[in-house]
Amino acid sequence: MDSRNASAYTLYGAPGSGATPVHAALTLIGAPVKVVDIAPWEGEAERRKLLPVNAMRQVPVLVLPSGEVMTESAAILIWLGDRHPEAGLAPGIADRRRAQYLRWMSFIPAAIYSMYWVRDEPSRLAADVQAEPVIMARTAERIAECWRLMDAQMPRGTPYLLGERIGMLDLYVTVVSRWTPCRTRFYREAPRMAEVVRRVDAEPRLAGFWASRFPFAPGWEDSEP
């Protein structure tokens, strides 16, 4: 690693991808980061670029300043929250909110994010081309159902999902809720979380980040990245 960037993180993942909440967190933390844009869903050539850092050929991948490699968006976000407690983005070990924080940070990739492996290439599971629209429709409905179930169990009465301050869970939900079935449907299925993600969208410290990495273009609430 270049000695001039010895304390920097390196983040692999294209704008709007699962790397986006990680990049947003690093922005709030104020940590230096080098970004390598790779979109594995665009084809085999892009996926091959990830082999040196991730045998699964998926993003996000975060290379720590030490050179150690991390994958899996939830694990990265949880680790960053613990590594940078001064940023206040995650409940500490002794915090009463810690259990629910870990619960929902795990729920998102297990129940929702995992659906996009199928949606990126429905032929991975479809028996034939005719079956692909069925898979796309059913996965969209499953994602909407999961948001609805999560929303029903979210605490009420605070500006953010787990309290008074923006946190990793808020960033994670804000980004993933922009994917299928898109924000307009998400607002309807998850009214409590809808309030929160709109607040995160408007976070002044992230204004420049959103503009450059996941812009709010006309019609964005009804379109996928």
Side-chain angles (χ1 to χ4, degrees):
M1 183 180 293
D2 189 326
S3 61
R4 292 171 299 177
N5 294 313
S7 62
Y9 292 94
T10 300
L11 178 63
Y12 292 78
S17 73
T20 306
V22 175
H23 198 173
L26 288 166
T27 300
L28 293 179
I29 290 166
V33 57
K34 174 187 174 184
V35 178
V36 181
D37 283 342
I38 297 178
W41 56 88
E42 290 185 356
E44 191 61 29
E46 285 288 282
R47 285 193 283 270
R48 279 197 296 269
K49 295 177 184 177
L50 287 163
L51 274 174
V53 290
N54 186 3
M56 291 291 287
R57 303 184 301 169
Q58 298 173 346
V59 295
V61 178
L62 186 69
V63 181
L64 310 186
S66 64
E68 185 177 359
V69 173
M70 286 196 72
T71 65
E72 315 313 318
S73 54
I76 294 169
L77 290 168
I78 291 167
W79 186 88
L80 285 172
D82 292 344
R83 176 66 181 81
H84 298 278
E86 73 285 352
L89 295 174
I93 295 294
D95 193 304
R96 61 176 179 77
R97 300 169 298 168
R98 181 76 177 189
Q100 293 306 307
Y101 166 68
L102 294 176
R103 174 192 182 187
W104 296 116
M105 288 294 288
S106 299
F107 176 85
I108 292 170
I112 297 171
Y113 199 152
S114 59
M115 294 288 103
Y116 297 100
W117 181 82
V118 180
R119 294 186 60 80
D120 285 346
E121 292 186 31
S123 60
R124 286 166 166 160
L125 293 184
D128 50 47
V129 173
Q130 289 71 32
E132 292 185 12
V134 176
I135 287 177
M136 295 296 278
R138 289 180 178 175
T139 52
E141 287 304 312
R142 173 60 177 169
I143 291 165
E145 178 188 29
C146 289
W147 284 132
R148 185 167 61 251
L149 292 170
M150 180 177 176
D151 191 77
Q153 298 175 76
M154 280 288 105
R156 265 60 177 171
T158 55
Y160 296 100
L161 294 177
L162 296 179
E164 300 297 321
R165 298 179 61 178
I166 191 171
M168 294 298 189
L169 184 60
D170 306 300
L171 296 175
Y172 209 8
V173 173
T174 296
V175 172
V176 179
S177 65
R178 291 184 63 174
W179 305 344
T180 299
C182 303
R183 272 289 187 83
T184 298
R185 175 81 182 271
F186 174 82
Y187 295 151
R188 187 167 68 249
E189 302 289 354
R192 158 58 177 158
M193 293 193 291
E195 300 171 359
V196 174
V197 298
R198 288 186 175 109
R199 194 167 287 119
V200 178
D201 290 341
E203 168 58 48
R205 293 175 294 166
L206 292 173
F209 170 78
W210 293 135
S212 65
R213 300 301 296 178
F214 209 1
F216 303 115
W220 69 271
E221 290 174 307
D222 291 305
S223 61
E224 297 184 47

